[in-house]
Amino acid sequence: MFIPPITPRALLIIQLILLPCFASAWEPTWESLDSRPLPPWFDESKFGIFIHWGVFSVPAFKNEWFWEYFRGKGDPTYVSFVNRTERPGFTYQEYAPRFKAELYDPDAWAELFAEAGAQYVVLTSKHHEGYCMWDSRDVPATWNWNVSAFNKDLLFIGRK
Protein backbone atom coordinates (compact mmCIF):
# COMPACT_ATOMS: atom_id res chain seq x y z
CA MET A 1 0.00 0.00 0.00
CA PHE A 2 1.31 3.42 -0.94
CA ILE A 3 1.35 6.00 1.85
CA PRO A 4 2.15 9.46 0.53
CA PRO A 5 4.93 11.32 2.32
CA ILE A 6 3.92 13.85 4.94
CA THR A 7 6.14 16.87 4.51
CA PRO A 8 6.68 19.34 7.34
CA ARG A 9 4.60 21.86 5.36
CA ALA A 10 1.70 19.38 4.96
CA LEU A 11 1.84 18.55 8.67
CA LEU A 12 1.74 22.25 9.54
CA ILE A 13 -1.28 22.77 7.27
CA ILE A 14 -3.09 19.82 8.88
CA GLN A 15 -2.33 21.22 12.33
CA LEU A 16 -3.52 24.69 11.37
CA ILE A 17 -6.77 23.26 10.04
CA LEU A 18 -7.40 21.05 13.08
CA LEU A 19 -6.09 23.34 15.82
CA PRO A 20 -9.10 25.67 15.86
CA CYS A 21 -11.32 22.63 16.44
CA PHE A 22 -9.57 21.89 19.71
CA ALA A 23 -7.83 25.08 20.78
CA SER A 24 -10.56 26.52 22.96
CA ALA A 25 -12.08 23.29 24.23
CA TRP A 26 -9.65 22.77 27.15
CA GLU A 27 -7.68 24.92 29.53
CA PRO A 28 -4.21 24.11 30.89
CA THR A 29 -5.52 22.90 34.26
CA TRP A 30 -5.92 19.41 35.70
CA GLU A 31 -9.63 20.05 36.28
CA SER A 32 -10.14 20.93 32.63
CA LEU A 33 -8.04 18.05 31.35
CA ASP A 34 -9.78 15.57 33.65
CA SER A 35 -13.15 16.67 32.27
CA ARG A 36 -12.31 15.50 28.75
CA PRO A 37 -14.23 12.42 27.63
CA LEU A 38 -12.21 9.37 26.67
CA PRO A 39 -12.11 8.76 22.92
CA PRO A 40 -14.49 5.93 21.92
CA TRP A 41 -11.69 3.89 20.31
CA PHE A 42 -10.06 3.71 23.74
CA ASP A 43 -13.04 3.71 26.08
CA GLU A 44 -15.03 1.05 24.24
CA SER A 45 -12.15 -1.29 23.47
CA LYS A 46 -11.59 -4.36 25.59
CA PHE A 47 -7.96 -4.96 24.61
CA GLY A 48 -5.22 -2.68 23.37
CA ILE A 49 -1.44 -2.75 23.28
CA PHE A 50 0.98 -0.03 24.36
CA ILE A 51 4.56 -0.50 23.17
CA HIS A 52 7.40 1.10 25.11
CA TRP A 53 10.46 0.49 22.98
CA GLY A 54 13.57 2.54 22.47
CA VAL A 55 17.21 3.05 23.36
CA PHE A 56 16.57 1.68 26.86
CA SER A 57 16.00 -1.71 25.17
CA VAL A 58 19.74 -1.93 24.46
CA PRO A 59 20.93 -2.33 28.05
CA ALA A 60 17.67 -4.23 28.74
CA PHE A 61 18.15 -3.60 32.44
CA LYS A 62 15.18 -3.16 34.78
CA ASN A 63 12.75 -0.95 32.80
CA GLU A 64 12.14 1.87 30.34
CA TRP A 65 13.16 4.43 32.97
CA PHE A 66 16.80 3.36 32.65
CA TRP A 67 18.03 6.85 31.67
CA GLU A 68 16.23 8.53 34.57
CA TYR A 69 17.63 6.13 37.16
CA PHE A 70 21.11 5.96 35.62
CA ARG A 71 21.71 9.67 34.96
CA GLY A 72 18.83 11.56 36.51
CA LYS A 73 18.86 9.93 39.95
CA GLY A 74 22.27 8.27 39.85
CA ASP A 75 20.72 5.09 41.29
CA PRO A 76 23.65 2.90 42.44
CA THR A 77 22.07 -0.24 40.94
CA TYR A 78 21.99 1.31 37.48
CA VAL A 79 25.36 3.02 37.79
CA SER A 80 26.91 -0.26 38.94
CA PHE A 81 25.35 -2.09 36.00
CA VAL A 82 26.82 0.40 33.50
CA ASN A 83 30.21 0.35 35.23
CA ARG A 84 30.27 -3.46 35.01
CA THR A 85 29.17 -3.68 31.39
CA GLU A 86 30.62 -0.59 29.70
CA ARG A 87 33.87 1.38 29.53
CA PRO A 88 34.60 4.15 32.08
CA GLY A 89 32.80 7.41 31.30
CA PHE A 90 30.14 5.68 29.19
CA THR A 91 27.05 7.82 28.52
CA TYR A 92 23.48 6.74 27.93
CA GLN A 93 23.49 8.29 24.44
CA GLU A 94 26.18 5.81 23.44
CA TYR A 95 23.56 3.06 23.54
CA ALA A 96 21.74 4.65 20.58
CA PRO A 97 24.04 3.32 17.82
CA ARG A 98 23.39 -0.18 19.20
CA PHE A 99 19.62 0.28 18.92
CA LYS A 100 19.37 -1.53 15.59
CA ALA A 101 15.78 -2.81 15.53
CA GLU A 102 16.95 -5.88 13.61
CA LEU A 103 13.71 -7.78 14.16
CA TYR A 104 11.40 -4.81 13.61
CA ASP A 105 8.75 -5.91 11.14
CA PRO A 106 5.73 -3.61 11.56
CA ASP A 107 3.58 -5.64 9.15
CA ALA A 108 4.22 -8.85 11.09
CA TRP A 109 3.62 -7.01 14.36
CA ALA A 110 0.30 -5.61 13.08
CA GLU A 111 -0.79 -9.08 11.98
CA LEU A 112 0.16 -10.55 15.36
CA PHE A 113 -1.67 -7.82 17.27
CA ALA A 114 -4.79 -8.26 15.11
CA GLU A 115 -4.71 -12.04 15.62
CA ALA A 116 -4.43 -11.43 19.37
CA GLY A 117 -7.60 -9.32 19.19
CA ALA A 118 -6.05 -5.94 19.90
CA GLN A 119 -8.41 -3.13 18.99
CA TYR A 120 -5.69 -0.47 19.11
CA VAL A 121 -1.92 -0.26 19.34
CA VAL A 122 0.05 2.72 20.63
CA LEU A 123 3.80 2.91 20.00
CA THR A 124 5.48 5.37 22.33
CA SER A 125 7.03 7.72 19.81
CA LYS A 126 9.13 9.70 22.28
CA HIS A 127 10.10 8.61 25.74
CA HIS A 128 11.15 10.77 28.69
CA GLU A 129 14.84 10.80 27.75
CA GLY A 130 13.97 12.65 24.55
CA TYR A 131 14.79 9.96 21.98
CA CYS A 132 12.32 10.20 19.11
CA MET A 133 11.32 7.31 16.90
CA TRP A 134 11.04 9.68 13.93
CA ASP A 135 13.19 12.30 12.25
CA SER A 136 12.98 15.04 14.87
CA ARG A 137 15.83 17.23 13.70
CA ASP A 138 13.43 20.20 13.58
CA VAL A 139 12.26 19.68 17.17
CA PRO A 140 14.45 21.39 19.79
CA ALA A 141 15.96 19.32 22.62
CA THR A 142 15.45 15.91 21.03
CA TRP A 143 17.60 13.23 19.50
CA ASN A 144 16.36 10.55 17.16
CA TRP A 145 16.74 7.52 14.98
CA ASN A 146 19.37 9.31 12.89
CA VAL A 147 21.96 8.40 15.54
CA SER A 148 21.00 4.72 15.46
CA ALA A 149 22.69 2.04 13.41
CA PHE A 150 19.62 1.31 11.30
CA ASN A 151 18.88 4.97 10.50
CA LYS A 152 15.20 4.18 10.02
CA ASP A 153 12.18 6.31 10.79
CA LEU A 154 10.23 3.80 12.91
CA LEU A 155 6.96 5.69 12.57
CA PHE A 156 7.24 5.89 8.77
CA ILE A 157 6.61 9.61 8.63
CA GLY A 158 7.34 10.34 5.00
CA ARG A 159 7.28 6.64 4.05
CA LYS A 160 6.75 5.92 0.38
Side-chain angles (χ1 to χ4, degrees):
M1 171 171 64
F2 174 76
I3 300 173
I6 298 177
T7 65
R9 182 171 186 235
L11 188 58
L12 179 62
I13 291 169
I14 291 168
Q15 289 172 341
L16 291 174
I17 291 169
L18 293 178
L19 188 60
C21 299
F22 303 103
S24 62
W26 317 111
E27 295 182 23
T29 66
W30 284 116
E31 183 179 3
S32 177
L33 293 175
D34 287 342
S35 71
R36 296 174 302 167
L38 291 173
W41 63 263
F42 180 80
D43 194 34
E44 297 167 10
S45 298
K46 300 292 183 195
F47 176 53
I49 296 173
F50 280 80
I51 302 171
H52 287 264
W53 184 46
V55 174
F56 52 84
S57 303
V58 174
F61 183 76
K62 300 265 186 183
N63 59 41
E64 71 274 11
W65 289 93
F66 185 93
W67 176 83
E68 174 66 20
Y69 285 101
F70 171 52
R71 277 293 166 227
K73 295 182 179 182
D75 184 301
T77 308
Y78 289 77
V79 173
S80 175
F81 170 80
V82 173
N83 288 341
R84 283 191 328 270
T85 59
E86 305 296 344
R87 63 169 179 70
F90 187 84
T91 65
Y92 178 78
Q93 286 72 12
E94 291 176 87
Y95 283 123
R98 297 187 209 165
F99 181 51
K100 298 179 182 178
E102 294 121 326
L103 303 178
Y104 183 56
D105 183 345
D107 295 327
W109 287 20
E111 187 176 320
L112 176 66
F113 299 151
E115 288 174 7
Q119 294 167 300
Y120 63 86
V121 177
V122 177
L123 171 63
T124 303
S125 60
K126 178 183 176 204
H127 220 273
H128 67 280
E129 89 277 61
Y131 183 87
C132 296
M133 303 291 253
W134 78 93
D135 184 352
S136 64
R137 286 178 280 197
D138 295 331
V139 181
T142 64
W143 53 306
N144 58 52
W145 57 270
N146 289 306
V147 299
S148 298
F150 59 92
N151 198 24
K152 182 188 296 184
D153 180 345
L154 295 176
L155 299 183
F156 302 112
I157 295 173
R159 178 180 177 188
K160 293 181 180 179

